[in-house]
Amino acid sequence: MSSRHALIPARPVDDHRRRIEDALRPLSGRAVETVPMDRALGRLLAADVDAPLDLPVFRNSAMDGYAVRADTVAIVPATLPLIGVVAAGNTEQLTLPPGAAVKVMTGAPVPPGADCVVPVEHTESDGVTVTVRTSRATGDFVREPGTDVRAGALLASAGTLLRPRHIAALAAVGLGELPVRRRVRAAVLTTGDELRPAGTDLLPGQIYNSNGIALAAALADNGVEVVSVAHSTDEHAEFRARLAEAVAHADVVFTSGGVSMGDFEVVKEVLAAQGGEFGPVAMQPGGPQGLSVVDGVPVLSFPGNPVSTMVSFEVFARPLLRELAGLPALPISQLPLLDSVRSPAGKRQFLRGKLAADGVTLVSGQGSHLIAAMAHAEVLVDIPAAATEVPAGTVVEVRPL
Amino acid sequence: MSSRHALIPARPVDDHRRRIEDALRPLSGRAVETVPMDRALGRLLAADVDAPLDLPVFRNSAMDGYAVRADTVAIVPATLPLIGVVAAGNTEQLTLPPGAAVKVMTGAPVPPGADCVVPVEHTESDGVTVTVRTSRATGDFVREPGTDVRAGALLASAGTLLRPRHIAALAAVGLGELPVRRRVRAAVLTTGDELRPAGTDLLPGQIYNSNGIALAAALADNGVEVVSVAHSTDEHAEFRARLAEAVAHADVVFTSGGVSMGDFEVVKEVLAAQGGEFGPVAMQPGGPQGLSVVDGVPVLSFPGNPVSTMVSFEVFARPLLRELAGLPALPISQLPLLDSVRSPAGKRQFLRGKLAADGVTLVSGQGSHLIAAMAHAEVLVDIPAAATEVPAGTVVEVRPL
């Protein structure tokens, strides 16, 4: 048996990204669920919400003061009999007789018969009468019902990412729950006989599994619900079993490892046999990539080097996952690269960088295994595939990590 | 009894903000707790974390290929006897005899005796021998232990806001949990006889309570743990009881309502009697404000109009709460205001605006009760206290909502 490896032509990054996005985009039509208002922050409103009632709900006072008819205080000082007090929350209804005054608190109903409110600061009262020192026009300090929003009017539209200000308005009309898109549900499945969980002692040749926890964090950070984080050895049967569990309860599965050119590439071997496409993408790090669909569920297969895994997530999954969650797009900026770099011909490079006052610098340690170095990075620096020598000062595309 | 109201001089916004920040800043020294790695995203690392081991943990291969001595493939093609295969995760230790080759997978240990790896793409093998077609230098495709981080070296420093990339690195050294600052714990206490919870029918004069749910959302959105959201009527005894519960389990309490110049200002009446300071702040909306300390717990008292409550949060609490949570500061920008506005002399105004291509416009409806209008805003527009007429085109300070 010859193991001579033919060079498979590498697919451009944007081609592979588009194939992944085509596979994931149907998730924008995912199911709607109802959540109580106190769990709605950061969720994506799934339907237009109309106001079920007017805001303000009723004609009320904008100030602590005295409700009067404007024409009875046209000449000041004017002393009027005080015939009652309406606190906010008073549910009895009082009517203002002509020529009198009613004390009202902010938010309290303005009695029928009154057409303005004189702020308490511009009055004196002995509890029996009130002396008004400043004239007021009809409508002053009176909030009319429906002037904020009318019953039946659109209050928040489908697709709104719910921020505190939306929740304030939706709670003000008495809504106790909201229809929101279910979060995208992802399962993470790491592979590799060499990976061990935290808290175990390493034997020679073993390392700790960081991809599971890191992919889960990256997914959660971008509005995805992580339904499971599992690990498989490089045994086909075990991987098949873990994969079946993952696709059973997730909208999308992310695997790491097992996609390269070695002898034990469990992910590639199992999924290619089910029609998955595996092959090199013209990028560094993260070259070997796979995309499969199992029981209708897209499975994205990233390489296992920790930096490759994280860069694959940033390049292929993060932008669309943010869009599906209604999160703002990541700002992409053009900045001068303050270091010079060499880049392999035909491979787009995603280098880890840090922002400086006048541009972007590279963190030291760009190997695909240098995960501690990546912790010091703030951005990915995108070096085009065609570039081979990038002199310092070249303007490059930079995206936040 | 005369109820003539003396004009209390209004305090400048920045003075009141500084007093609040002085009261809250000791929370930066709040307790440390240990969280499992899968709950560490977005938390604030409480101590420097050194790597407990080298990364890479051991000398390993950067490629799927053949581990050889470089001097045995100096002249190519070179055919070497293949004496074994080391998969990643193989815990047996193999030594390379002189002049031979060992097949190694990415991440697998490079056997003692080998000093480079020839990528599989540059070889042919019949399973008994391997023919190497490209020479390699000592060290090629070999990852030496500790080249990413050395045992004992700083991996992440105290005060780091934990992002996925930090979690990846911290998991890679085998940590299963991390010391983080406890989140700031806040209690929300709304007041007002007129407020009713969602799901109840309103009687005349009643409105729905939006402040509780909206303040809770705003707090959670800024890294705060909301430990309770409660409501009190305007009865002193009930407010005292709810307040006692709030201060018993929170680091900071936020109240809404009951701070103005009406006859039923429960928050002001109860807290001023305990040494709380209440008075006007020279701003609109949000003028009446209070700050108290009860059993050592700061109590911030915001006015009850929904927009006033939310603007008070934005101006007085949000920046410092973000700092305490390790979240990035909100970007403040200088933009042309595309509308002209009039502003009351001596009062700093915080208007609700939307971003446009060439500046910022105001949303219609700036009253302190217009909470539905606020849902359409994206930013707060800061109009200085001294300004009375602000012509269109004036550059103003803008902060995101």
Side-chain angles (χ1 to χ4, degrees):
Chain A
M1 177 194 80
S2 166
S3 68
R4 173 84 189 249
H5 289 259
L7 272 183
I8 307 167
R11 196 189 288 273
V13 169
D14 286 334
D15 280 10
H16 189 61
R17 182 179 51 74
R18 271 191 292 269
R19 292 169 64 242
I20 288 175
E21 292 186 353
D22 289 346
L24 296 189
R25 204 172 290 282
L27 292 177
S28 64
R30 65 199 183 277
V32 174
E33 63 186 9
T34 299
V35 293
M37 198 62 81
D38 62 2
R39 295 188 50 207
L41 179 70
R43 301 298 297 272
L44 195 60
L45 198 61
D48 287 351
V49 176
D50 295 339
L53 41 75
D54 283 347
L55 282 184
V57 180
F58 52 85
R59 191 165 173 261
N60 71 85
S61 177
M63 297 291 278
D64 299 320
Y66 293 89
V68 298
R69 267 178 61 160
D71 59 8
T72 64
V73 297
I75 299 161
V76 288
T79 299
L80 308 179
L82 185 55
I83 60 109
V85 180
V86 189
N90 244 2
T91 56
E92 293 155 49
Q93 291 186 282
L94 201 68
T95 299
L96 184 77
V102 167
K103 190 165 194 185
V104 289
M105 303 302 142
T106 306
V110 172
D115 62 9
C116 70
V117 172
V118 184
V120 69
E121 299 91 317
H122 306 148
T123 66
E124 283 172 56
S125 175
D126 57 7
V128 178
T129 64
V130 58
T131 299
V132 171
R133 308 205 158 269
T134 317
S135 291
R136 281 291 157 195
T138 297
D140 278 3
F141 300 114
V142 175
R143 301 162 173 172
E144 294 295 338
T147 46
D148 189 11
V149 69
R150 288 225 166 269
L154 181 69
L155 196 54
S157 30
T160 298
L161 180 74
L162 292 166
R163 301 277 309 141
R165 64 182 183 273
H166 303 112
I167 289 172
L170 293 161
V173 295
L175 297 173
E177 51 186 33
L178 294 172
V180 297
R181 285 276 160 208
R182 190 164 57 57
R183 288 192 194 278
V184 170
R185 296 191 283 218
V188 174
L189 177 49
T190 58
T191 66
D193 286 351
E194 72 277 29
L195 300 187
R196 301 289 297 150
T200 53
D201 288 330
L202 298 182
L203 297 175
Q206 295 181 333
I207 62 172
Y208 289 111
N209 185 350
S210 62
N211 282 341
I213 204 112
L215 267 177
L219 287 161
D221 190 48
N222 289 281
V224 174
E225 181 187 352
V226 179
V227 291
S228 63
V229 181
H231 179 71
S232 170
T233 63
D234 292 327
E235 295 298 319
H236 284 206
E238 185 181 357
F239 179 71
R240 277 200 203 89
R242 294 292 89 74
L243 182 67
E245 291 162 6
V247 300
H249 55 245
D251 299 319
V252 54
V253 177
F254 292 83
T255 70
S256 76
V259 293
S260 190
M261 303 186 71
D263 290 355
F264 310 97
E265 305 290 2
V266 65
V267 173
K268 181 165 76 171
E269 290 155 14
V270 167
L271 283 167
Q274 301 182 32
E277 288 191 54
F278 286 79
V281 171
M283 69 189 286
Q284 213 176 44
Q289 295 283 339
L291 174 62
S292 317
V293 177
V294 177
D295 296 345
V297 175
V299 180
L300 278 60
S301 296
F302 296 155
N305 274 319
V307 175
S308 304
T309 304
M310 296 306 275
V311 168
S312 299
F313 176 82
E314 295 285 335
V315 171
F316 295 121
R318 192 176 179 202
L320 186 66
L321 291 174
R322 291 184 69 84
E323 187 186 320
L324 290 172
L327 296 170
L330 295 172
I332 293 187
S333 42
Q334 311 281 333
L335 291 176
L337 179 60
L338 303 178
D339 302 304
S340 63
V341 293
R342 310 179 77 175
S343 193
K347 284 190 181 176
R348 193 159 155 189
Q349 271 207 98
F350 294 95
L351 301 173
R352 276 71 66 209
K354 277 179 87 82
L355 298 175
D358 47 353
V360 59
T361 60
L362 300 180
V363 301
S364 61
Q366 292 285 339
S368 61
H369 61 298
L370 300 179
I371 193 66
M374 187 170 182
H376 298 118
E378 298 163 342
V379 293
L380 275 190
V381 176
D382 186 346
I383 306 291
T388 50
E389 300 275 347
V390 182
T394 307
V395 171
V396 291
E397 217 170 84
V398 170
R399 57 176 86 186
L401 274 174
Chain B
M1 175 192 82
S2 165
S3 69
R4 172 89 188 247
H5 289 261
L7 272 183
I8 306 166
R11 198 189 287 272
V13 169
D14 286 334
D15 280 8
H16 188 61
R17 183 180 49 74
R18 271 192 291 268
R19 292 170 64 241
I20 288 175
E21 292 186 354
D22 288 346
L24 296 189
R25 203 171 291 282
L27 292 176
S28 64
R30 65 201 185 275
V32 174
E33 63 186 8
T34 299
V35 294
M37 198 63 81
D38 62 3
R39 295 189 50 208
L41 179 69
R43 301 297 298 271
L44 195 61
L45 198 60
D48 287 351
V49 176
D50 295 339
L53 41 73
D54 282 346
L55 281 186
V57 180
F58 52 86
R59 192 166 172 259
N60 72 85
S61 177
M63 297 292 277
D64 299 320
Y66 295 88
V68 297
R69 267 178 63 159
D71 59 10
T72 64
V73 296
I75 298 161
V76 286
T79 298
L80 309 178
L82 184 55
I83 60 107
V85 180
V86 189
N90 246 1
T91 55
E92 295 154 49
Q93 292 186 279
L94 202 69
T95 299
L96 184 79
V102 167
K103 190 166 195 186
V104 288
M105 303 304 144
T106 305
V110 172
D115 63 9
C116 70
V117 172
V118 184
V120 69
E121 298 92 318
H122 305 148
T123 67
E124 284 173 52
S125 175
D126 57 8
V128 178
T129 64
V130 58
T131 300
V132 170
R133 307 203 158 270
T134 316
S135 290
R136 282 291 158 195
T138 297
D140 279 4
F141 300 113
V142 174
R143 301 163 173 170
E144 294 294 338
T147 47
D148 189 10
V149 68
R150 289 223 166 270
L154 181 68
L155 196 53
S157 30
T160 299
L161 180 74
L162 292 166
R163 302 277 309 139
R165 63 182 184 274
H166 303 114
I167 289 172
L170 293 160
V173 295
L175 297 173
E177 52 185 32
L178 293 173
V180 297
R181 284 278 160 206
R182 191 165 57 57
R183 288 192 195 279
V184 170
R185 296 191 284 218
V188 175
L189 177 49
T190 58
T191 66
D193 285 352
E194 73 277 29
L195 300 188
R196 300 289 295 151
T200 53
D201 289 330
L202 297 182
L203 296 175
Q206 296 181 332
I207 62 173
Y208 290 111
N209 184 351
S210 62
N211 282 341
I213 205 112
L215 268 178
L219 287 161
D221 190 49
N222 290 282
V224 174
E225 181 187 352
V226 179
V227 291
S228 64
V229 181
H231 180 69
S232 170
T233 63
D234 293 327
E235 295 298 319
H236 284 206
E238 185 181 357
F239 178 71
R240 277 201 203 92
R242 295 291 89 76
L243 181 68
E245 290 162 8
V247 299
H249 55 247
D251 298 320
V252 53
V253 177
F254 293 83
T255 70
S256 76
V259 294
S260 191
M261 300 185 72
D263 290 355
F264 311 96
E265 305 291 1
V266 64
V267 173
K268 183 165 77 172
E269 289 157 13
V270 167
L271 283 168
Q274 300 182 30
E277 287 190 53
F278 286 80
V281 171
M283 69 188 287
Q284 212 177 45
Q289 295 284 340
L291 175 62
S292 317
V293 177
V294 176
D295 296 345
V297 176
V299 180
L300 277 60
S301 296
F302 296 155
N305 274 319
V307 175
S308 304
T309 304
M310 296 306 275
V311 168
S312 299
F313 176 82
E314 296 285 336
V315 172
F316 294 121
R318 192 176 179 202
L320 185 66
L321 291 174
R322 291 183 70 81
E323 187 186 320
L324 291 172
L327 295 170
L330 296 172
I332 293 187
S333 41
Q334 310 281 335
L335 291 175
L337 179 60
L338 303 178
D339 303 304
S340 64
V341 294
R342 310 180 78 174
S343 193
K347 284 190 180 178
R348 192 160 155 188
Q349 271 207 97
F350 294 95
L351 301 172
R352 277 71 65 208
K354 277 179 86 82
L355 298 175
D358 47 353
V360 60
T361 61
L362 300 181
V363 302
S364 61
Q366 293 285 340
S368 61
H369 61 300
L370 300 179
I371 193 66
M374 188 171 180
H376 300 117
E378 298 164 340
V379 294
L380 276 189
V381 176
D382 186 347
I383 307 289
T388 50
E389 299 275 348
V390 181
T394 308
V395 172
V396 291
E397 216 171 83
V398 170
R399 56 175 87 186
L401 275 174

